[in-house]
Amino acid sequence: MDSSVPPPSSEPRPRRRDRHGRGMRGPVAPPQVPLSTSRADSFRDLVQDSVERLERRWPQLAEVDFVVLEVPETVDETVPLGSAVSAEKERPAQIVIYRRPLEIRTKNRDERALLVHEVVVEQVAELLGLAPESVDPRYGQE
């Protein structure tokens, strides 16, 4: 008996289309469009904008490490929005901003930007031993 079906090839066929025949999918938006940035990246941008705004007034902040973490490692009764750690011998001063607790407390990007800036100002004030109003005169007014 002769089979009419050819034997399977050992080489895979090159795929030109996906299984539904519509073509391969590409990115939804080009990289320069804000849609293509993740929430974590846009949050880091908000923190960076706030830090740059403060560094113009306080040049010593260039030596401080600003870190964005998802959530605090330990949670007490209240969830912190940020923390400041003083410098030690081999480690520079560090300010940590927690992304998820801040995002949960805000409804849109404008509210998030204001809250991020307030938290950054409060942590810088704690690190420098100053009042938040002296770190940023517009603190609490926006």
Side-chain angles (χ1 to χ4, degrees):
M1 271 192 134
D2 195 15
S3 172
S4 62
V5 177
S9 172
S10 62
E11 295 179 16
R13 293 186 330 202
R15 291 187 68 178
R16 300 204 195 295
R17 296 189 168 275
D18 66 355
R19 67 182 184 166
H20 297 289
R22 295 185 202 112
M24 300 303 284
R25 289 187 164 225
V28 176
Q32 62 271 20
V33 176
L35 176 67
S36 67
T37 59
S38 68
R39 286 187 307 180
D41 289 339
S42 66
F43 189 85
R44 275 191 218 99
D45 291 343
L46 291 176
V47 172
Q48 186 63 35
D49 291 343
S50 181
V51 170
E52 287 172 357
R53 185 169 147 189
L54 291 175
E55 278 181 343
R56 283 182 243 136
R57 184 174 167 99
W58 302 93
Q60 63 265 38
L61 292 179
E63 300 166 5
V64 176
D65 287 340
F66 288 86
V67 180
V68 176
L69 296 179
E70 290 289 313
V71 293
E73 292 177 9
T74 59
V75 178
D76 299 325
E77 290 181 22
T78 60
V79 178
L81 303 178
S83 64
V85 181
S86 299
E88 293 180 1
K89 280 193 270 184
E90 300 174 10
R91 184 182 49 79
Q94 186 178 50
I95 292 179
V96 181
I97 307 297
Y98 300 110
R99 181 174 73 90
R100 293 295 298 148
L102 282 164
E103 285 181 336
I104 289 170
R105 286 168 175 79
T106 57
K107 294 180 181 164
N108 57 40
R109 182 176 168 82
D110 293 335
E111 284 182 16
R112 194 169 303 122
L114 287 173
L115 186 57
V116 164
H117 185 68
E118 284 185 7
V119 171
V120 170
V121 168
E122 289 168 359
Q123 298 308 317
V124 167
E126 183 179 326
L127 187 68
L128 298 177
L130 300 170
E133 294 82 14
S134 63
V135 172
D136 185 6
R138 294 185 293 178
Y139 173 78
Q141 297 175 3
E142 299 171 38

